[in-house]
Amino acid sequence: MIGWIKSKFNDIRFRNKLLLSHLIIALIPILLLGLLSFIQSYRIQMKELRSEAEASLEQVANIMDYKINRYNTLSEFMVLNRELSQIFIKDYEENYFNMYLDFRDILEPLISNIRLMDDDIEAITFYTSGELLGIRDNILPIGELKSKSWYDGFRGRRWIVDGEKLYLVQELISNPKDSNFMVISIQHDSIFADMDKLSEHVAVHIEDAEQRVIFKERKESDASADLESGEKGGLNLSRSLANNGWTIHYNLLNTNAYANALGIFQITLFVMILSLIITFLLIYVISNNFTRRIIHIKNKVDKVEQNNLEVIIQSSSRDEFGELTNGIGKMLKRINSLISQVYQAEIAKRESEYNKLINQINPHFLYNTLSFIRWRAEKKADIETSYMVSALARFYRTTLNQGRHMATIKDEVQHIKAYLDLQLIMNDGRFDVDYHIDEEVLDTEIIHFILQPIVENAIKHGFVEAGGADYQIHIGVSRVEGGMKLIVSDNGVGMTPAQAARLLAGESGGCGVRNVNDRIKLYYGLDYGLDIHSEPGSGTEVSMVIPAS
């Protein structure tokens, strides 16, 4: 019998022998490997489920502790502010002017600064029994606080969750008559937003120090019903918060681990069966396949060598060629990710320099201007002084630009006009300004604060000759092919090409012009930037082309 089998096997063509041997070798371990895969996967899934749940709970708890501690620190900062506390215990004896001054100089700036630092604070309300009632909308009788359903006469500080409302209640330094409280209303999602991002296989709820449920995650899937019913076999974890006595409770189902293990088994079985089919085809084309796959990888790498980093290098094969291809693909993705991180970091760095420049706008200019205004005001009261104050206010309003990095051409021109109005008065009108602005581009947005440093450089370094006359600055904005062109030119002393290069490199004592050039390149690309044309004695022209948004 064995001899007959050997005889028949020897008569089969080599290709069929190879196919048959692959089929037999691959078919035998399928069931064993699938069964072992399921058992081992289930055990691993259970371990990973607990490990991931513990890590997730620790992370969520740390994040919530950090947020809560930040507001606790903010509350302590206000409570320990002696000037603020004195407002609520001081006896004004109907001296409403002193009361007005305290509100104007102490309470309102403090509240405004705190709300400006944290957008998640919705309101700050004070409850008192003193004579401050009725003075401000955010100062209410203590009786209204005591009428709240959640108020139980507690003292000190407490976090309150009332439905979708979140409060931090803090007792202030009080007089002997009664207590004063500060209530900070905080956006509910600012504390609990991370709770809704957990896996659908995780149910979470939070209890306060009295074991009352103050938050319960809203789930819509069928798995959530099993979680909320407390099905047996689930994992239950809890973690107490250090800063307010809350406790976070996790409940996870082990059915997730079972389903994952079964899914792995099915995938494994599918891959094995598919490998048997593929084996038959690979015998016919194995030699051509090797060559084709090598050429395919080479072509992809050649494109990368030509600076085409957007090439997708990926293979579904599981052999050495597939691992090599996927390894190169992962490396390329990592390179792209690092380039993006460096680019974002550079933008953040330039924006930091920009903000620093905004916050430190030429203190000498500010000092000289204010000194000049004071001198003129002391000498005589005239319209010119009022005009300078108005121009200075417009200058700083447009400079700050409400914290935005983009501005319209109209706003940028208004900003430079306010700046030049001040410079004309301070320099006794020793130069003229000529504007040529295309009205069609007034509503187009560009990056903010790109004209003023250039104009300032023209006045500071271009008009340096004491006896110089007929100095003139030209500012133009017009539409050109591919975007808009902005020009700042002067007929000052000019500069050499080497001086222009040092100006762009920030080596001439200031970084304003270099900062503008770098920001343009970062926002619009390396093809854009400042173009300086200048000759000694013939003035200077600085131009830039900005793509129209």
Side-chain angles (χ1 to χ4, degrees):
M1 184 65 181
I2 297 177
W4 180 81
I5 294 176
K6 287 183 179 181
S7 176
K8 292 295 182 182
F9 185 80
N10 290 332
D11 294 338
I12 297 176
R13 298 177 63 87
F14 180 80
R15 181 188 61 188
N16 296 334
K17 290 179 182 178
L18 190 60
L19 293 174
L20 182 61
S21 61
H22 277 79
L23 177 63
I24 295 174
I25 294 173
L27 185 61
I28 292 175
I30 284 181
L31 294 178
L32 292 177
L33 184 59
L35 181 61
L36 292 176
S37 174
F38 173 77
I39 296 174
Q40 188 65 18
S41 297
Y42 178 77
R43 292 177 178 175
I44 294 175
Q45 287 290 323
M46 286 299 298
K47 292 180 179 179
E48 291 181 351
L49 185 62
R50 172 175 286 276
S51 177
E52 292 175 0
E54 291 174 348
S56 174
L57 177 59
E58 184 69 19
Q59 182 180 14
V60 169
N62 288 338
I63 291 174
M64 291 191 67
D65 256 332
Y66 168 78
K67 293 178 179 179
I68 291 169
N69 183 62
R70 182 160 59 91
Y71 288 113
N72 287 345
T73 303
L74 179 63
S75 174
E76 291 176 359
F77 167 76
M78 296 187 68
V79 169
L80 296 178
N81 188 308
R82 184 176 298 275
E83 293 180 335
L84 175 66
S85 301
Q86 288 296 324
I87 293 177
F88 292 91
I89 64 176
K90 184 185 296 184
D91 186 4
Y92 288 98
E93 297 180 353
E94 299 185 353
N95 191 335
Y96 294 104
F97 180 73
N98 289 339
M99 185 184 303
Y100 162 76
L101 291 179
D102 287 346
F103 275 94
R104 184 195 68 180
D105 299 335
I106 299 174
L107 182 62
E108 291 180 351
L110 182 61
I111 294 177
S112 298
N113 290 335
I114 289 175
R115 296 195 65 185
L116 183 63
M117 290 187 295
D118 195 325
D119 294 334
D120 292 328
I121 295 179
E122 298 177 340
I124 299 177
T125 307
F126 297 91
Y127 293 87
T128 183
S129 59
E131 54 185 343
L132 303 178
L133 297 176
I135 302 301
R136 291 290 188 276
D137 293 336
N138 59 346
I139 300 180
L140 303 176
I142 191 67
E144 292 195 19
L145 176 65
K146 294 181 178 180
S147 64
K148 303 290 186 182
S149 59
W150 40 263
Y151 183 79
D152 57 0
F154 59 84
R155 307 291 296 269
R157 178 175 62 217
R158 179 176 294 185
W159 284 80
I160 301 296
V161 178
D162 186 17
E164 293 296 323
K165 300 293 184 180
L166 179 63
Y167 306 103
L168 172 56
V169 183
Q170 173 68 57
E171 184 181 9
L172 301 175
I173 298 176
S174 306
N175 55 34
K177 297 179 181 179
D178 207 341
S179 298
N180 298 314
F181 284 88
M182 174 183 64
V183 178
I184 302 177
S185 301
I186 303 170
Q187 290 186 10
H188 187 272
D189 288 341
S190 68
I191 300 296
F192 299 109
D194 294 331
M195 298 294 101
D196 292 327
K197 300 177 183 179
L198 298 175
S199 169
E200 64 180 8
H201 299 286
V202 178
V204 61
H205 70 275
I206 301 176
E207 295 178 352
D208 60 13
E210 288 74 29
Q211 296 185 342
R212 292 175 299 207
V213 177
I214 58 174
F215 175 85
K216 193 171 186 179
E217 186 182 15
R218 298 181 295 274
K219 295 285 188 180
E220 298 179 359
S221 63
D222 293 336
S224 65
D226 295 334
L227 288 168
E228 294 175 358
S229 65
E231 181 174 328
K232 294 182 179 179
L235 297 175
N236 295 291
L237 306 172
S238 63
R239 169 73 153 73
S240 296
L241 302 183
N243 290 304
N244 63 352
W246 291 355
T247 303
I248 305 176
H249 295 275
Y250 263 32
N251 182 263
L252 305 96
L253 287 179
N254 60 1
T255 53
N256 184 35
Y258 179 86
N260 290 340
L262 184 60
I264 294 175
F265 170 77
Q266 293 173 345
I267 293 174
T268 304
L269 183 61
F270 172 78
V271 171
M272 288 183 173
I273 295 175
L274 183 61
S275 65
L276 292 175
I277 299 174
I278 295 176
T279 300
F280 287 88
L281 301 176
L282 289 178
I283 298 300
Y284 293 98
V285 297
I286 189 168
S287 59
N288 293 332
N289 183 63
F290 283 152
T291 305
R292 178 177 57 83
R293 293 167 69 187
I294 293 174
I295 294 175
H296 176 73
I297 296 175
K298 180 181 180 298
N299 292 336
K300 295 287 187 179
V301 174
D302 288 342
K303 292 181 179 179
V304 174
E305 188 178 12
Q306 297 171 2
N307 294 326
N308 183 4
L309 299 180
E310 300 299 326
V311 175
I312 298 177
I313 301 179
Q314 187 175 358
S315 175
S316 60
S317 176
R318 295 174 177 269
D319 62 3
E320 288 80 1
F321 282 102
E323 293 176 357
L324 176 62
T325 303
N326 290 329
I328 295 174
K330 292 178 180 178
M331 180 179 65
L332 182 59
K333 290 180 180 178
R334 182 59 178 167
I335 292 174
N336 282 323
S337 176
L338 292 175
I339 292 175
S340 176
Q341 291 176 15
V342 171
Y343 181 76
Q344 294 298 328
E346 187 66 20
I347 289 180
K349 177 183 176 182
R350 295 304 178 188
E351 287 301 332
S352 176
E353 294 180 2
Y354 163 72
N355 291 330
K356 181 180 179 180
L357 186 62
I358 289 294
N359 293 327
Q360 299 176 353
I361 301 174
N362 203 339
H364 295 291
F365 168 72
L366 177 60
Y367 176 80
N368 293 334
T369 303
L370 293 179
S371 297
F372 186 81
I373 293 174
R374 183 181 63 183
W375 177 80
R376 294 298 297 252
E378 290 176 352
K379 184 176 180 181
K380 60 179 181 178
D382 58 7
I383 298 176
E384 188 177 15
T385 303
S386 176
Y387 181 78
M388 287 191 66
V389 175
S390 176
L392 184 60
R394 285 187 289 112
F395 173 75
Y396 277 101
R397 183 178 67 252
T398 54
T399 297
L400 296 178
N401 196 31
Q402 297 179 348
R404 295 181 293 111
H405 301 309
M406 303 297 291
T408 62
I409 293 291
K410 180 179 180 181
D411 292 337
E412 193 70 3
V413 171
Q414 288 179 351
H415 169 68
I416 202 62
K417 284 183 177 180
Y419 174 78
L420 285 171
D421 285 346
L422 293 170
Q423 287 286 7
L424 283 169
I425 296 175
M426 293 175 60
N427 290 276
D428 292 329
R430 64 191 295 257
F431 63 89
D432 294 324
V433 183
D434 181 27
Y435 297 95
H436 286 85
I437 310 299
D438 187 352
E439 294 184 356
E440 294 181 359
V441 301
L442 289 178
D443 294 329
T444 304
E445 285 196 337
I446 60 175
I447 56 177
H448 177 47
F449 200 66
I450 61 175
L451 289 179
Q452 192 268 342
I454 300 174
V455 174
E456 180 181 0
N457 189 76
I459 297 172
K460 182 178 180 181
H461 300 287
F463 303 158
V464 296
E465 294 183 359
D470 298 325
Y471 283 140
Q472 188 173 18
I473 293 178
H474 169 78
I475 298 176
V477 181
S478 60
R479 188 178 296 278
V480 296
E481 183 179 356
M484 299 171 299
K485 187 173 184 179
L486 289 79
I487 298 176
V488 177
S489 62
D490 64 78
N491 59 350
V493 298
M495 66 183 79
T496 64
Q499 290 175 323
R502 288 198 299 270
L503 182 63
L504 286 178
E507 299 174 356
S508 299
C511 64
V513 176
R514 177 182 65 85
N515 186 272
V516 171
N517 186 56
D518 292 346
R519 289 174 58 229
I520 291 174
K521 291 182 179 294
L522 284 172
Y523 274 92
Y524 301 113
L526 297 177
D527 295 332
Y528 297 92
L530 297 182
D531 190 9
I532 300 178
H533 295 279
S534 181
E535 293 182 5
S538 299
T540 302
E541 178 183 288
V542 180
S543 63
M544 66 194 85
V545 176
I546 302 296
S549 57

